Amino acid sequence: MAYRVLGRAGPPQPRRARRLLFAFTLSLSCTYLCYSLLCCCDDLGQSRLLGAPRCLRGPGAAGGQKLLQESRPCDPSGPTPGEPGAPSAPAAGAPSPRLSGSNHSGSPKLGTKRLPQALIVGVKKGGTRAVLEFIRVHPDVRALGTEPHFFDRNYGRGLDWYSQITLEKTPAILSLKRPSRIFNMSRDTKLIVVVRNPVTRAISDYTQTLSKKPDIPTFEGLSFRNRTLGLVDVSWNAIRIGMYALHLESWLRYFPLAQIHFVSGERLITDPAGEMGRVQDFLGIKRLITDKHFYFNKTKGFPCLKKTESSLLPRCLGKSKGRTHVQIDPEVIDQLREFYRPYNIKFYETVGQDFRWE
């Protein structure tokens, strides 16, 4: 009988198993590598499209410091919460990726948009326009020529609408009690207040209104609820604006007195270089506006800027400035002086300055 011997299947070859394991490992590695590269490229593309925020270094030494700083470190704390409905505000000095305003030479400056570092907040008919025009002569200052009225009339438009400027003036802000809005924009903002004898200021205010609305009541009629009893009508804005001590109280709840500079409207006429020198000191810029920049215009009754290299003519304020005041009964003026006296004294004591309006 013949027998066929059937052989058993042996174990798999070790070399083949190693090859299969190597191929599997290589496949997983390639898959992971491709996935990582795709994600990385996508992130880079997003960064280029959206633009990564940058925190630039601030200016150098104070001697060469521009009032409009090119940049400041980012403030991670963000803005201080303000009144209900207030637009979101960037941290003080934080850059915004917008087109900046023109520099002093008129050439556009690209890169960042700046909120103002200083504001002329009042008072109406006190000399705010003169301060603004005089300070604009300084090469380290960029200031808006018109009044944007952002903090009173246009606040709802938001900070993105607000012009790129270093300094602006809206003289009605002080009496409208809007310190929280400025504080929310930047708690470091410097405030300039041009004050004037409140009686003279009220007459000037009335004179301006009368030129536009000749049918309004007389100054005496608007100033008093009962002139015989000496009851002054404080609801009339021309009277109320001159109650400086009353308005200042609300501002001092937000800003320290050291952050507010008071300009004398009277001394601005008699000594413009001296007053503007103190303004420049307050803003932390070099005293470049001096006596050589001014001459007294006898027709207008106040100083004007002399002609410069860029201007062939001297620069005076517009026709609406320096208009002749309406004649007021001297007894009315005396009554208003008595009314303002306690407010003036309290104002002197608060700011540490005697403006000698009595």
Side-chain angles (χ1 to χ4, degrees):
M1 177 182 290
Y3 294 91
R4 185 170 24 168
V5 180
L6 299 176
R8 292 182 304 171
Q13 296 293 330
R15 182 178 299 177
R16 184 179 178 185
R18 286 197 296 269
R19 287 178 180 177
L20 288 174
L21 181 61
F22 175 77
F24 179 72
T25 304
L26 182 62
S27 176
L28 285 178
S29 300
C30 290
T31 303
Y32 178 76
L33 180 61
C34 292
Y35 177 79
S36 300
L37 287 174
L38 286 173
C39 291
C40 180
C41 291
D42 185 62
D43 289 342
L44 288 173
Q46 291 284 346
S47 299
R48 292 191 179 187
L49 286 173
L50 299 178
R54 292 180 299 172
C55 299
L56 306 179
R57 293 194 305 172
Q65 177 179 353
K66 292 270 186 182
L67 181 59
L68 177 62
Q69 297 181 356
E70 296 305 321
S71 55
R72 290 183 183 174
C74 291
D75 184 358
S77 61
T80 303
E83 56 197 88
S88 58
S96 173
R98 300 285 181 179
L99 181 67
S100 77
S102 298
N103 58 22
H104 188 75
S105 63
S107 59
K109 190 174 185 62
L110 301 176
T112 57
K113 180 180 181 179
R114 293 279 164 248
L115 294 170
Q117 292 173 261
L119 295 173
I120 302 175
V121 297
V123 298
K124 181 183 178 185
K125 307 308 296 178
T128 56
R129 171 56 60 179
V131 171
L132 182 69
E133 291 302 319
F134 294 164
I135 199 64
R136 290 175 73 187
V137 175
H138 201 289
D140 289 344
V141 172
R142 294 210 306 255
L144 191 66
T146 57
E147 296 174 7
H149 286 281
F150 173 67
F151 294 100
D152 49 0
R153 302 177 191 172
N154 296 304
Y155 193 64
R157 297 192 179 194
L159 288 172
D160 193 50
W161 174 86
Y162 197 22
S163 300
Q164 152 49 43
I165 48 186
T166 311
L167 184 149
E168 65 109 321
K169 84 172 186 80
T170 301
I173 298 178
L174 183 75
S175 58
L176 292 178
K177 298 183 179 179
R178 306 290 193 188
S180 62
R181 293 182 172 183
I182 297 175
F183 182 83
N184 288 334
M185 178 191 74
S186 172
R187 66 186 67 189
D188 298 323
T189 303
K190 294 184 176 182
L191 306 175
I192 298 174
V193 184
V194 189
V195 291
R196 183 182 185 186
N197 185 317
V199 179
T200 309
R201 196 223 65 81
I203 296 173
S204 179
D205 198 340
Y206 175 79
T207 301
Q208 182 184 52
T209 305
L210 185 65
S211 68
K212 300 174 182 177
K213 301 176 180 179
D215 297 330
I216 62 173
T218 64
F219 179 83
E220 295 88 337
L222 292 170
S223 298
F224 294 92
R225 293 169 56 194
N226 187 319
R227 185 182 167 190
T228 304
L229 298 177
L231 297 177
V232 176
D233 190 352
V234 296
S235 66
W236 186 32
N237 201 43
I239 292 294
R240 189 169 182 79
I241 288 175
M243 301 161 68
Y244 305 138
L246 184 66
H247 306 311
L248 188 58
E249 288 178 359
S250 60
W251 287 82
L252 290 177
R253 296 189 190 107
Y254 290 85
F255 296 96
L257 191 61
Q259 218 165 301
I260 308 174
H261 179 71
F262 298 91
V263 177
S264 167
E266 287 80 15
R267 288 197 298 267
L268 192 62
I269 295 175
T270 59
D271 182 21
E275 281 300 296
M276 294 309 299
R278 286 182 279 276
V279 171
Q280 292 170 89
D281 292 343
F282 171 69
L283 294 176
I285 56 179
K286 189 175 180 180
R287 283 199 180 199
L288 297 180
I289 303 172
T290 61
D291 283 319
K292 68 179 182 180
H293 289 90
F294 301 100
Y295 77 96
F296 190 80
N297 186 305
K298 294 181 180 180
T299 303
K300 284 186 169 291
F302 56 76
C304 296
L305 291 167
K306 294 179 180 179
K307 63 181 181 180
T308 61
E309 295 178 0
S310 60
S311 175
L312 298 178
L313 298 173
R315 210 164 81 205
C316 280
L317 301 182
K319 295 179 180 179
S320 64
K321 308 298 180 182
R323 59 166 64 93
T324 304
H325 290 176
V326 296
Q327 294 297 313
I328 305 298
D329 185 341
E331 291 185 4
V332 171
I333 294 176
D334 289 339
Q335 284 180 294
L336 290 178
R337 282 176 178 166
E338 287 302 313
F339 166 75
Y340 280 120
R341 188 183 302 277
Y343 293 101
N344 291 344
I345 292 174
K346 186 176 181 181
F347 179 65
Y348 300 163
E349 293 173 348
T350 303
V351 303
Q353 234 183 117
D354 186 352
F355 291 89
R356 303 184 183 278
W357 292 325
E358 280 63 46

